[in-house]
Amino acid sequence: SGIGSAFACELAGTTDLLLTGRDAIALEALASELRSGGAGAREIRVVTADPAIPSERAELICAADSFAPNLLVNDAGLGTWG
């Protein structure tokens, strides 16, 4: 949900996508929706990672490096808990 999902939906018809975030279920659901919706993306990859965790951040960097993105949408937010 949110702005990242909106960008993915808009861009899916024109470019490959590397979807990343901490919620694997939501990411896979979005990827499935984009694949089945006939969006026409050449490739949709999913990497579940929390950039605050060094090993997961390293995995994300490796995935992005091998994917060679030409656009990054950084939509991370900051909020208070509770």
Side-chain angles (χ1 to χ4, degrees), residues 24-75:
I25 294 170
L27 290 170
E28 290 296 344
L30 176 60
S32 178
E33 176 184 330
L34 294 172
R35 288 180 187 119
S36 68
R42 294 172 297 230
E43 183 175 4
I44 299 174
R45 293 188 201 175
V46 173
V47 177
T48 304
D50 182 344
I53 300 172
S55 61
E56 292 184 20
R57 182 173 55 244
E59 179 184 348
L60 177 57
I61 290 168
C62 286
D65 188 44
S66 70
F67 197 73
N70 59 10
L71 174 68
L72 171 67
V73 176
N74 182 4
D75 68 328

Side-chain angles (χ1 to χ4, degrees), residues 22 76-82:
R22 296 177 296 181
L78 177 67
T80 58
W81 186 262

